[in-house]
Amino acid sequence: MIITRFAPSPTGYLHIGGLRTALLNYLWAKKNGGKFLLRIEDTDRSRHNEDAVTAILEAFEWVGLKSDEEIVYQSKRDEIYKKYIEQLLEENRAYRCYMTKEELEALREEQTAKKERPRYDGRYRDFTGVPPEGVEPVIRIKAPTEGSIVVHDRIKGSIEFRVADTLDDFIIARADGSPTYNFVVAVDDALMGVNEVIRGDDHLSNTPKQIVVYEALGFELPTFYHVPMIHNESGKKLSKRDGATDVMEYKREGYYPESLLNFLLRLGWSYGDQEIFTMDEMLNLFNPKDISKSASIYNIDKLNWINGEYLKKRSREELAKDLNIEPTPIINLVKDRCSTLGELQTEIDKILLRPESYDSKSIKKHFKELNRELLEEFLEQLKSSENSCEEIFSSILEKSGTGMVKLAQPVRIALVGVAQSPSVVDVVSILGRDEVVYRIEKFLESQKG
Ligand code: GLU
């Protein structure tokens, strides 16, 4: 059974790149009838932040990716880590190192002076003497001292890490007894039964260390997939300037979680030229080995387009529910030009709410003497005639022998404040005669004197 996981560090909020990693793990597990697990990596107590955990879980709730088992919190697993550290000490696969900070610094300086890579020199590896007094030891793992560690990555291929260049007997427990990052990740993945690890390639350099831990503890290695990062269009790491990085920001702006997931899957993965994928299609078609080896480019226009497609497919009633408003027919009038619920709300308001002011450019361009007369005539007939708005419209234009814009633009300005709106006949019929009369009178009043 395939078991995958997503393991966020709660540093603030769920990052869009993190959600993508979570999605890939989720799809791969579900596609194979396996399990997707969630682990909160909250060992960094100084930054430990309950709010950040809550924010991450909220985001997961919103997008609907559920952990198949109880969520694992590293902060609650001290006893487990201790047990494995003890085991390694007993088996002589790890040891106490009494080197002081000063000694470590001196070693570093010496190595740098010789143009060597700073690394621990293993001086306590086989130490059997009397430990120096007053030094709380750290615990170091016995890493290989020569050769290389090869990461067999399903996306990047086999990557060789030469021990001499990348590894030393690294610390697995600090002087205060707290275990270190690479140690706990390896222990947790192994104990949780995780056998396929899909994660950002910013973690690739951690992998050899984690392999050392796996091997020391006799755990079976998982399959690794290191996914290239998401970049902005200038090829740099995605930052807030390129678009929201907080997943919940997308909720606030009115994106659908389904479309966000669709968009994220398409970053660095494709299936022909298909752009829109239902969850079932994602599950059927996705395989992490098809993820591109090069960085994927974040493009907000693409997301807007995808979200617009999702939005268009929804009925007026569904959209009204999404927005928590009455199912006004204005929705149908404007939905095709909107890419987010936020935009949809704005477009609805532009028609639904009485204008607070009138755009001076529109007035200058479209409110000439003739147009004023046409508008006044329109108002008169609305008040006195039984005919429909549409009929009134055409009869005025016919009588005056002028084009549609001459009347349509001033009506628009009067109704919504600017000379842009959907079909003016539609707007008029949705607002209803009384409201149209009211708005035109208000407008004409504002233009007096
Ligand atoms: N906690 C790590 C992070 O948030 C991920 C660890 C992993 O995937 O191995 O970047």
Side-chain angles (χ1 to χ4, degrees), residues 3-23:
I3 302 182
T4 65
R5 50 67 164 178
F6 176 59
S9 308
T11 50
Y13 51 79
L14 180 59
H15 192 280
I16 186 87
L19 177 57
R20 176 203 187 205
T21 305
L23 172 67

Side-chain angles (χ1 to χ4, degrees), residues 5 7-9 41 181 185 199 203:
R5 50 67 164 178
S9 308
E41 306 213 310
Y181 175 75
V185 169
R199 63 184 170 200
H203 284 284

Side-chain angles (χ1 to χ4, degrees), residues 337-391:
R337 63 170 82 185
C338 297
S339 49
T340 64
L341 288 169
E343 268 176 45
L344 180 60
Q345 184 69 65
T346 306
E347 290 304 313
I348 293 170
D349 287 348
K350 277 188 196 165
I351 297 172
L352 200 62
L353 306 180
R354 290 172 176 168
E356 283 171 2
S357 61
Y358 304 98
D359 177 49
S360 55
K361 270 196 201 140
S362 299
I363 291 179
K364 215 166 152 201
K365 190 157 174 217
H366 300 289
F367 199 56
K368 314 245 164 67
E369 202 38 49
L370 167 67
N371 311 40
R372 178 193 293 267
E373 281 163 23
L374 293 172
L375 185 62
E376 280 167 352
E377 170 74 22
F378 184 56
L379 176 64
E380 256 342 284
Q381 293 207 26
L382 278 179
K383 284 157 93 178
S384 58
S385 154
E386 296 278 287
N387 290 345
S388 74
C389 296
E390 217 169 340
E391 286 162 346

Side-chain angles (χ1 to χ4, degrees), residues 309-327:
E309 293 298 301
Y310 278 80
L311 196 146
K312 266 182 236 163
K313 280 193 206 123
R314 293 177 78 74
S315 68
R316 168 158 68 128
E317 285 69 25
E318 288 171 319
L319 289 167
K321 226 168 157 197
D322 294 341
L323 289 174
N324 208 4
I325 60 169
E326 292 297 311

